């Protein structure tokens, strides 16, 4: 898996994930999120358009990070999940915990409100 940080504005980062997120690659996600968590108020859109698979270890990384982000007044949202990932997020109840948008630009636009 690759985790690429794309800056859309100085206060919003887009974390683009490519490949498969599982126990073997979760360290890459933690490393990318750790850098973003150093921001004074972390605002992160996770771009899932190129993510082909995610297991419970990946989901756990998101939940743990969201707790830190929320405590610092920031937010973490998802965008571009394919049908499998959208269903997975719904099934495990994370669709109630995270904002999920069809496109990255939708998530960024919602942040401006």
């Amino acid at each position: 898996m690759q985790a690429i940080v794309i800056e859309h504005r100085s206060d919003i980062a887009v974390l683009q994930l490519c490949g498969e997120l599982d126990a073997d690659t979760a360290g890459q996600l933690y490393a990318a999120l750790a850098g973003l968590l150093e921001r004074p108020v972390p605002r992160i859109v996770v771009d899932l358009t190129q993510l082909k698979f995610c297991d419970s270890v990946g989901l756990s990384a998101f939940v743990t990070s969201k707790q830190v982000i929320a405590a610092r007044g920031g937010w973490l949202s998802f965008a571009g999940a394919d049908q499998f990932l959208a269903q997975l997020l719904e099934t495990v109840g994370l669709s109630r915990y995270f904002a999920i948008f069809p496109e990255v630009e939708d998530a960024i636009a919602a942040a401006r409100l």
Side-chain angles (χ1 to χ4, degrees):
M1 183 203 70
Q2 285 185 309
I4 303 164
V5 176
I6 301 166
E7 300 290 335
H8 269 262
R9 297 189 336 204
S10 61
D11 62 338
I12 297 175
V14 175
L15 178 60
Q16 183 181 53
L17 302 181
C18 306
E20 297 184 359
L21 176 55
D22 55 24
D24 293 332
T25 61
Q28 295 168 16
L29 175 62
Y30 278 113
L33 286 170
L36 295 173
L37 292 176
E38 293 176 6
R39 294 171 176 226
V41 180
R43 294 179 179 99
I44 305 165
V45 175
V46 180
D47 180 355
L48 302 173
T49 54
Q50 299 297 313
L51 190 66
K52 303 302 176 203
F53 176 80
C54 182
D55 70 4
S56 61
V57 175
L59 296 177
S60 176
F62 291 129
V63 170
T64 302
S65 297
K66 180 173 167 84
Q67 293 169 342
V68 173
I69 291 166
R72 297 181 57 204
W75 49 261
L76 183 137
S77 63
F78 295 125
D82 66 14
Q83 186 175 3
F84 170 79
L85 288 173
Q87 185 61 46
L88 175 65
L89 295 170
E90 178 70 29
T91 300
V92 299
L94 292 183
S95 61
R96 293 186 304 261
Y97 194 61
F98 292 95
I100 302 173
F101 298 91
E103 303 288 335
V104 170
E105 294 305 320
D106 297 329
I108 292 170
R112 294 181 179 142
L113 299 176

